[in-house]
Amino acid sequence: MGRIGDFSCVEGKISHSEAFVQEFFNDKVITDTSKKEKLDCKGITGDIKNLPFKKNFFDCVVATEVLEHIPDPQKPINEAYKVLKPGGRACVSVPTAISETIFRKIHPDWERNSGHINVFSKKDIVLMLEDAGFKVLRTENQNFEWS
């Protein structure tokens, strides 16, 4: 299946989902649940701006709903690129500017409680990824809030 580096908030639940694995490793997914591979997952607490992995370590990197919380989001993007193998894939998600605007209007304490210090346009995030060396293959807008 390959190594997946999940540098997201919470417990890496995105990269452990079958839908995610099908998207990035579709030739390796076993659909018969009686024969499903057991994922060998190891949790490591660390600093996303200084990842404790050697260069070219992961086949895929994931950063979902984390960059909006970091004062200098370019640093973790650069780190993710560094630990990704050549030809590897990345999955990055951030709240859309529309979602942020809506939630700031309907939730009086949204700005204070969310911990979001960055709001990204699609152009912003694409430029940051490209500055790190990524080739952006696809973008999608999904306006939602985790709950």
Side-chain angles (χ1 to χ4, degrees):
M1 176 179 301
R3 284 191 182 129
I4 302 171
D6 191 337
F7 311 128
S8 303
C9 293
V10 234
E11 301 159 354
K13 291 181 181 175
I14 299 294
S15 64
H16 298 176
S17 76
E18 185 172 327
F20 178 84
V21 173
Q22 283 179 326
E23 179 75 17
F24 287 91
F25 298 99
N26 59 2
D27 60 330
K28 304 273 186 169
V29 171
I30 299 170
T31 54
D32 179 352
T33 55
S34 66
K35 298 177 183 173
K36 191 169 276 196
E37 293 178 44
K38 182 172 179 3
L39 294 176
D40 180 19
C41 301
K42 295 178 177 84
I44 296 172
T45 302
D47 182 355
I48 194 171
K49 296 176 298 227
N50 187 19
L51 295 172
F53 304 101
K54 64 184 179 183
K55 191 175 178 180
N56 304 326
F57 188 73
F58 293 103
D59 299 285
C60 178
V61 294
V62 181
T64 57
E65 310 303 306
V66 67
L67 298 174
E68 65 274 14
H69 299 276
I70 299 173
D72 181 2
Q74 188 65 54
K75 286 183 181 179
I77 293 172
N78 294 345
E79 282 289 293
Y81 185 78
K82 180 183 81 177
V83 299
L84 182 64
K85 289 179 180 177
R89 294 230 172 169
C91 176
V92 177
S93 72
V94 294
T96 66
I98 293 169
S99 294
E100 287 291 322
T101 300
I102 291 169
F103 280 101
R104 287 171 191 226
K105 287 183 180 183
I106 64 174
H107 292 282
D109 296 325
W110 176 256
E111 209 164 343
R112 184 173 41 124
N113 293 336
S114 71
H116 296 183
I117 58 175
N118 300 306
V119 177
F120 303 98
S121 69
K122 184 188 288 191
K123 181 179 177 183
D124 292 337
I125 199 71
V126 167
L127 286 173
M128 293 172 76
L129 290 164
E130 290 175 342
D131 284 349
F134 287 101
K135 178 181 177 186
V136 177
L137 300 176
R138 185 174 87 198
T139 63
E140 293 181 18
N141 281 346
Q142 301 288 331
N143 296 311
F144 65 94
E145 168 56 23
W146 293 102
S147 55

